[in-house]
Amino acid sequence: MISPRERRTAAALVCLALLVHPLWAAEPQVEELKIEILTGNGARNVAGRMPPGPLSVRVIDQNNRPVPDVSVVFSAPDSGPSGMFSSGSQVLMTTTDQNGRAAARFEPNSTPGNYNIQVLARQVLITAVAEIRQTNVPATAQA
């Protein structure tokens, strides 16, 4: 014979399963993240001048589908050839949109040279990393 307490517990578990199951079924499970660099890779920036467009990436899953609501961190070097993001620092945190895209406005500093901007995407325990290659050139050597 099942006690009233066991019956309530079983009913609660069934209700919980019914509530949670649609959440699992609604989104395909992400097992892997990849970062595609859309704009900015290989850019030659005139040192100290704002580039015409933002750096942008797209985060995709193991089936090459865009992944929304992924945390993305853009990180520029602390010194030497580098620059600042619109946040006023060398680091900018953002989230992908419904198309898996994330963008960052970046202004190079006045130090000429090559550098990489690190991009990290993370969703729960799944992480992807990429680099956006940049070069700052003096204003007299415009690309």
Side-chain angles (χ1 to χ4, degrees), residues 58-59 67-72 94-102:
R58 185 169 71 145
V59 179
V67 185
D69 302 318
V70 173
S71 297
V72 177
T94 188
T95 305
T96 58
D97 65 14
Q98 290 302 310
N99 298 312
R101 293 176 183 239

Side-chain angles (χ1 to χ4, degrees), residues 30-35 59-62 67 70 121-123 126-129:
V30 174
E31 297 171 359
E32 177 186 356
L33 293 176
K34 296 180 266 184
I35 299 172
V59 179
I60 56 176
D61 68 9
Q62 67 277 0
V67 185
V70 173
R122 173 169 268 177
Q123 185 181 54
I126 304 169
T127 302
V129 178

Side-chain angles (χ1 to χ4, degrees):
M1 184 101 188
I2 297 175
S3 73
R5 181 177 179 192
E6 290 171 326
R7 190 171 297 153
R8 283 192 307 271
T9 302
L13 289 173
V14 168
C15 288
L16 181 61
L18 291 174
L19 288 173
V20 173
H21 182 268
L23 296 175
W24 289 335
E27 295 291 326
Q29 186 170 357
V30 174
E31 297 171 359
E32 177 186 356
L33 293 176
K34 296 180 266 184
I35 299 172
E36 292 181 327
I37 309 298
L38 299 176
T39 60
N41 200 36
R44 291 176 48 89
N45 304 311
V46 177
R49 292 192 194 158
M50 184 69 83
L55 305 174
S56 64
V57 299
R58 185 169 71 145
V59 179
I60 56 176
D61 68 9
Q62 67 277 0
N63 296 312
N64 296 320
R65 292 182 300 229
V67 185
D69 302 318
V70 173
S71 297
V72 177
V73 178
F74 292 88
S75 179
D78 290 335
S79 61
S82 184
M84 291 197 157
F85 294 99
S86 58
S87 62
S89 75
Q90 279 90 16
V91 177
L92 178 87
M93 291 186 264
T94 188
T95 305
T96 58
D97 65 14
Q98 290 302 310
N99 298 312
R101 293 176 183 239
R105 291 294 296 169
F106 181 76
E107 184 174 355
N109 64 17
S110 60
T111 306
N114 300 320
Y115 57 99
N116 292 321
I117 295 173
Q118 302 293 319
V119 183
L120 181 135
R122 173 169 268 177
Q123 185 181 54
V124 189
L125 298 175
I126 304 169
T127 302
V129 178
E131 290 184 340
I132 300 175
R133 294 183 324 276
Q134 298 271 294
T135 302
N136 290 351
V137 296
T140 56
Q142 293 183 20

